[in-house]
Amino acid sequence: MDFNLFMNDIVDAARKDITEAGYEELRTPEEVDAALNREGTTLVMVNSTCGCAGGVARPAAANAIHFDKRPDHLVTVFAGQDREATEKARTYFEGYPPSSPSFAFLKDGKIVTMLERHDIEGHSAMEVISKLQEIFDKHCEEV
């Protein structure tokens, strides 16, 4: 099997997982600027092909949003795939080093907090869901 074809299948499945969960995929720096400068609260899921993204982060992203409080906007960038968009998104995460998978929570275009890879890797999806819902509870309005 051709490695690139195999990786394309992995990437396509990872993209589909998060967009089917209701996240808007941002693939260019311009899309990132437009999305992250919107008023309100925004959750950015920095996607990747690693095991903790597929086994923990994406399931947590899909399930955490079924809560009384949730962000106004759900978006995703794909580290290692849409490099320019990911680099642009990371300019909004001031004070946090690059990390994937990760979740950035912004309000009116400003970083509030992040769940970095070390907050995801080695934890269960349920633990990450709880961490996300604590953020939502503190910073989001009821839907």
Side-chain angles (χ1 to χ4, degrees):
M1 171 176 251
D2 180 271
F3 179 75
N4 288 328
L5 288 176
F6 173 75
M7 284 309 297
N8 285 342
D9 288 345
I10 299 291
V11 169
D12 289 345
R15 287 185 192 280
K16 186 177 175 188
D17 278 352
I18 198 70
T19 56
E20 284 185 350
Y23 287 71
E24 173 189 0
E25 190 171 38
L26 309 176
R27 298 187 78 169
T28 68
E30 295 78 19
E31 290 174 349
V32 169
D33 276 337
L36 299 190
N37 281 306
R38 291 185 276 206
E39 276 189 29
T41 54
T42 303
L43 181 65
V44 182
M45 193 276 182
V46 180
N47 203 356
S48 75
T49 58
C50 72
C52 63
V56 180
R58 286 192 300 274
N63 289 288
I65 58 176
H66 301 288
F67 189 60
D68 292 344
K69 295 181 177 184
R70 64 175 254 181
D72 300 315
H73 312 287
L74 304 169
V75 300
T76 183
V77 293
F78 206 129
Q81 300 302 312
D82 301 321
R83 287 188 174 99
E84 291 176 352
T86 304
E87 287 174 19
K88 185 62 169 178
R90 287 177 170 152
T91 66
Y92 288 83
F93 311 157
E94 190 175 315
Y96 294 93
S99 178
S100 61
S102 62
F103 294 93
F105 184 84
L106 292 86
K107 183 164 184 164
D108 299 329
K110 304 289 183 211
I111 188 75
V112 174
T113 191
M114 277 193 80
L115 292 182
E116 300 172 80
R117 182 184 180 108
H118 65 82
D119 298 309
I120 298 166
E121 188 175 35
H123 297 274
S124 71
M126 286 305 298
E127 290 171 315
V128 175
I129 289 168
S130 292
K131 292 175 187 181
L132 288 168
Q133 288 179 341
E134 284 177 28
I135 294 167
F136 302 164
D137 206 30
K138 197 182 286 188
H139 301 286
C140 297
E141 299 296 321
E142 254 185 72
V143 285

